[in-house]
Amino acid sequence: MPALWIAHVTVTDEAAYSKYAALAGPAIAGHGGQFIARAGRYVQLEGKDRPRNVVAKFDTVEAAEACYHSPEYQEALGHARGASERELLIVETTE
């Protein structure tokens, strides 16, 4: 079953986070992820407001999790730590 990688982010250091974004996009694409929403318009209805929201679709939960743990994504993530407050989850779809 396909899976969605869903990130809710508040950027606290634009310069450092831009380094993350430059590396994360290719890492996600390299593991079969396709962005379906990336920092677009949103409406916060409940919970903590995070102004940057990203959704990527992967073939499986396992593929999304493997991407997260990959050396390429972990290198990118090193730039996000300390430069953002984030929640990230992977959820299997019903397709």
Side-chain angles (χ1 to χ4, degrees):
M1 298 286 266
L4 300 177
W5 163 308
I6 304 169
H8 305 289
V9 184
T10 299
V11 176
T12 57
D13 180 339
E14 289 287 344
Y17 200 80
S18 68
K19 293 175 186 174
Y20 160 79
L23 295 171
I28 289 167
H31 286 85
Q34 299 175 331
F35 290 104
I36 58 175
R38 198 172 189 183
R41 197 174 133 198
Y42 73 99
V43 176
Q44 182 73 33
L45 298 175
E46 293 185 22
K48 180 139 179 81
D49 184 35
R50 299 277 189 207
R52 183 172 176 85
N53 299 282
V54 178
V55 181
K57 186 175 182 180
F58 287 83
D59 289 339
T60 63
V61 168
E62 292 78 14
E65 192 172 3
C67 176
Y68 180 84
H69 293 293
S70 72
E72 300 86 3
Y73 187 77
Q74 289 299 306
E75 179 184 354
L77 193 55
H79 296 285
R81 291 190 176 111
S84 62
E85 299 171 2
R86 309 163 20 109
E87 286 87 37
L88 176 64
L89 65 110
I90 299 166
V91 62
E92 190 170 61
T93 69
T94 57
E95 291 182 349

